[in-house]
Amino acid sequence: MSSPPLAVASLTDPLELVAARLSGWLSARAGRDGVDPVVRPSDHADAQVNGALGLAKELGCAPRELAQEIIASGLLDDLCAEVEVAGPGFLNLTFANDVLNGLLTAVAGSERLGVEQSASPQTVVIDYSAPNVAKEMHVGHLRSTVIGDALVRMYESLGHRVIRENHIGDWGRPFGMLIEHLLDLGEDVAAAGLGQGDLDGFYKQANAKFADDEEFQRRSRDRVVLLQSGDPDTHVLWNRLVAMSTDYFNEVYSKLGVLLTNDDLMGESQYQPLMAGTIERLSQAGLMQESDGASVVFPPGFTNRDGDPLPLIVQAKTGGFNYATSDLSCVIDRVERLGANLMLYVIGAPQQQHLEMVFAVARMAGWLPDNVAAVHVAFGNVLGEDRKMLRSRSGDSVKLVELLDEAVERASAAVNEKNPDLSTDERAAVARMIGIGAVKYADLSTDRVRDYVFDWNRMLAFDGNTAPYLQYAHARICSIFRRAEEDRSVDRRFAVTETAEHDLALKLLAYPSAVADALTSNSPHKLCTYLFELAQQFTSFYEHCPVVRAEDAIREARLGLCNVTAQTLAAGLALLGIDAPERM
RNA sequence: GCCCCCGUAGCUCAGUGGAUAGAGCAACGGUUUCCUAAACCGCAGGUCGCAGGUUCGAGUCCUGCCGGGGGCGCCA
C-alpha cells in the first residue's frame, strides 16, 4: 500500500519548521535520504531534537559533537533564541519571540489557522452509524456515529473528498416477520408507534409472536421469499417500514448534531443486486472452493479452533448470500463506482477478524489494489459504573434518545443554576450544546479502541478533560471581548514576551500538527488532548497576564492571543462535531 | 486450544524508541475589594500486570507468562 500522505506538514508550527530544515541537513550529513531529526515538545525547553543520538551511532561519531555540528550549521539561528546541547546529545530549543509573533500573524490571518489543504486530495469513504431498521438506536450506535462524524469533519477540513455511507440494516430474514407484524397492526397504528420512536416495542412484539405462533412463522417465511423475489406489494410495505425508521434515525441525528442525511443511506438492500456478480467474479478468479456444501474462500493466515484454515463463507449451502458476500460487494462498489482511495469502517472491535478476512479476500481478488487502503476504525464498549456493558435499570440496552435527552436535561439544570441571566431561549440552546457536547466529547476523548466508563458527573463537569471545560474557556474569551468592547475580527499586532504568552503561542501554533496526528491515526482523542492542553495553557496565561486592563500595545497583543485561542478552540471543537457557545 | 484487544497514581485517562512517566478527579493546603471562582496555585500520591530479550536508551519494540474482555462455518 503506497498512498500519498493525508496531511501536509504545517508551515506555521515551529517544531515542523525545524524538522523540515534539519531533515535535509542530516540526510546530507548521513549520505542517505529521509533522516528524521526527531523533533519533540520538551519539558526542558520549547522543543528538543533527539535525532543526533541515533545518527551519531550510525556515523560513528560522538552524539554531543554531532549536536554541536547541527548548531554550527546555523540552520536554527533565525528560529531560536537559544539552542543548547544537553545530556548525552539532546538539543534543547527555545524559539525566538519574534518568530512566534510572525507565525501567529500568519495563522491569525487565515480561517484555516495554519491547517494546510492536502496537495493530493483523496476520495475517502467513511462507513459509520449503521443502525438497524425497526430496531432502537442504542449506545452501541453512539460510538460509531460520533467517531465517524468527527472523522468526516476532519478529512473534509483537509480538503479530501469524503463520502459518508450509512450502511443501515434494512435487509435479511427478520424483515418477513417485521412486515407481517406491520400488516397485523395496521399501517396507521404501526406508523404512530414507530413515529414516537417505539422501535424496540415493535421489534420485540414481532419477535415474541414469531417465537410462539406457528402460523405467524409460516407467513413470515413466505413474506421473506416475496420480498426477495421482488413482489411489488411487499416492497411497498418494506419501503414504508424503512422510511418510518429512517425518519426516526434522522430525528436522533438531528438531536446529536451529526451530518448524516438520507443522501448517505446505503443499506444492505442496495448490495443485493450486486451479490451474484461478486460470486461470479470470485469464481472466475479461481478463488472459490466448496466446503460442507457452502461456497467459501480461504484467505491465508486465518485458522479456526481446530487449527484448520478458516473460510470466509460467501454462499451458504442453501444458496443464500450473507454479510460476507454483502461486504465484498460493498468493497467493489466503493472502489469501482465511488473511486475510493481510502475506506474507513467505523465498526466495533469484535468485527475485526471478519473485516480482515473480507479485506484479505478482496485483495486476493484484485478488488483492493495497492493504492487503496481499507481500515477498520475499531472501538470498544460503553461501560456502566459497574464496568459492564452499559444497561438500563431493566437490563435492556439504553435508548440513545433517552440518553441524549437526559444529557440536555442535566446540562439545563446546571446552566439554570449558574447563569440565570440568559434568556429562556438562549439557556435552552446552550444546554443543548453543553449536554450533547459532553456526551460526544466523553466518547471521543479517550483512545477509541478501549472501553470507556459512562459517567454523567464526570462528562458534565466543568473541570477536567470535558466538553464543558473547553466550551467554558471559549465562552470566557468571548466575554473578554464583550467586556473590552472590542471587535474580535480586527487584525492585531502580536508581541509575545511573558512566559505564559510564549507557551500559549507555541501551543496555538501546534494546532495543525494536532489535527494531522488525529487524522493519520483516525484518533479524535488526540485532538481532544490537544484542545484540553490549549485550554489549560490559556487559563494559565489568563491568570498571569491581565488583558482588558493592560496598556495599549500589550492589551492589543493579548487580545490577539485571546482571539486566536477562541478561534482554535471553536475550530477544534467543530472538527469533533461540538458547538462552542459564546456565553454560558 | 488458537487468534485479536486491553492492563500506567485510590478513581478516570494521556503518553510520537529519548532526559526525573504526566493530566484531571477525589484528598489535603491556599487564592475572590482583581477581565466569568463554571477558574487558578501548591502539596502529596507509581514494582508503567510479571519475567526475559533487542537497544547507547523501553511504559513504548520482540518472546513467554498472569489477569480482564472479545472472536473462532453457513445471523448481521
Side-chain angles (χ1 to χ4, degrees), chain A residues 18-30:
Chain A
V18 168
R21 288 188 189 186
L22 293 189
S23 176
W25 188 87
L26 288 172
S27 296
R29 179 72 176 75

Side-chain angles (χ1 to χ4, degrees), chain A residues 225-538:
Chain A
V225 174
L226 284 172
L227 181 65
Q228 285 173 345
S229 63
D231 172 60
D233 292 340
T234 300
H235 269 253
V236 168
L237 293 165
W238 172 76
N239 272 318
R240 290 276 161 74
L241 206 52
V242 172
M244 288 178 210
S245 290
T246 53
D247 285 351
Y248 175 72
F249 298 155
N250 288 336
E251 275 179 45
V252 179
Y253 293 148
S254 155
K255 219 168 252 206
L256 244 188
V258 295
L259 299 166
L260 290 167
T261 69
N262 282 347
D263 292 342
D264 308 315
L265 291 174
M266 196 61 190
E268 293 283 329
S269 61
Q270 304 294 307
Y271 300 96
Q272 297 308 310
L274 309 175
M275 303 218 287
T278 301
I279 296 293
E280 178 59 26
R281 287 173 66 169
L282 280 175
S283 184
Q284 286 189 353
L287 297 173
M288 289 267 260
Q289 298 186 36
E290 200 189 296
S291 173
D292 295 337
S295 300
V296 307
V297 181
F298 288 101
F302 296 89
T303 52
N304 67 11
R305 68 182 80 225
D306 300 320
D308 299 327
L310 183 67
L312 185 70
I313 296 169
V314 294
Q315 193 162 17
K317 62 183 165 199
T318 60
F321 302 131
N322 59 15
Y323 74 132
T325 334
S326 167
D327 286 343
L328 284 169
S329 305
C330 195
V331 169
I332 294 174
D333 188 59
R334 288 171 183 179
V335 174
E336 296 183 1
R337 182 175 66 87
L338 299 175
N341 305 107
L342 172 61
M343 299 187 287
L344 303 184
Y345 289 74
V346 189
I347 296 175
Q351 298 285 332
Q352 181 175 329
Q353 188 182 52
H354 166 72
L355 284 173
E356 279 173 359
M357 292 180 76
V358 167
F359 297 156
V361 169
R363 288 218 186 270
M364 290 165 77
W367 302 331
L368 266 180
D370 283 349
N371 61 353
V372 179
V375 178
H376 179 202
V377 181
F379 53 84
N381 295 315
V382 182
L383 306 180
E385 283 171 38
D386 57 0
R387 306 236 43 163
K388 293 183 174 157
M389 295 268 284
L390 188 66
R391 302 255 173 224
S392 69
R393 234 169 248 141
S394 60
D396 293 331
S397 55
V398 178
K399 285 176 73 166
L400 189 49
V401 263
E402 286 176 3
L403 191 99
L404 297 177
D405 288 344
E406 184 170 352
V408 175
E409 237 171 77
R410 285 172 179 264
S412 182
V415 174
N416 287 347
E417 183 197 334
K418 287 170 174 157
N419 200 346
D421 296 342
L422 295 178
S423 72
T424 311
D425 284 354
E426 191 170 5
R427 273 208 307 252
V430 168
R432 216 160 43 239
M433 293 186 206
I434 295 176
I436 300 297
V439 169
K440 284 184 169 182
Y441 194 86
D443 203 291
L444 293 170
S445 58
T446 63
D447 188 353
R448 58 178 161 72
V449 81
R450 295 173 46 142
D451 297 344
Y452 77 93
V453 177
F454 192 93
D455 181 332
W456 285 119
N457 292 332
R458 198 161 47 240
M459 73 177 72
L460 281 161
F462 291 88
D463 310 297
N465 189 9
T466 68
Y469 177 80
L470 299 181
Q471 289 169 323
Y472 174 67
H474 175 265
R476 212 176 179 192
I477 296 171
C478 294
S479 159
I480 292 167
F481 280 87
R482 283 195 299 272
R483 181 68 63 120
E485 297 183 336
E486 292 282 355
D487 188 347
R488 278 189 49 193
S489 62
V490 172
D491 284 342
R492 294 189 164 81
R493 190 182 182 81
F494 292 94
V496 167
T497 48
E498 299 290 323
T499 305
E501 296 175 313
H502 182 95
D503 292 347
L504 177 58
L506 204 56
K507 193 51 106 174
L508 287 168
L509 293 169
Y511 175 66
S513 306
V515 174
D517 287 347
L519 180 125
T520 50
S521 57
N522 300 304
S523 298
H525 85 277
K526 293 187 177 180
L527 181 54
C528 296
T529 301
Y530 166 81
L531 291 173
F532 177 54
E533 287 168 357
L534 172 62
Q536 281 183 308
Q537 200 67 249
F538 173 77

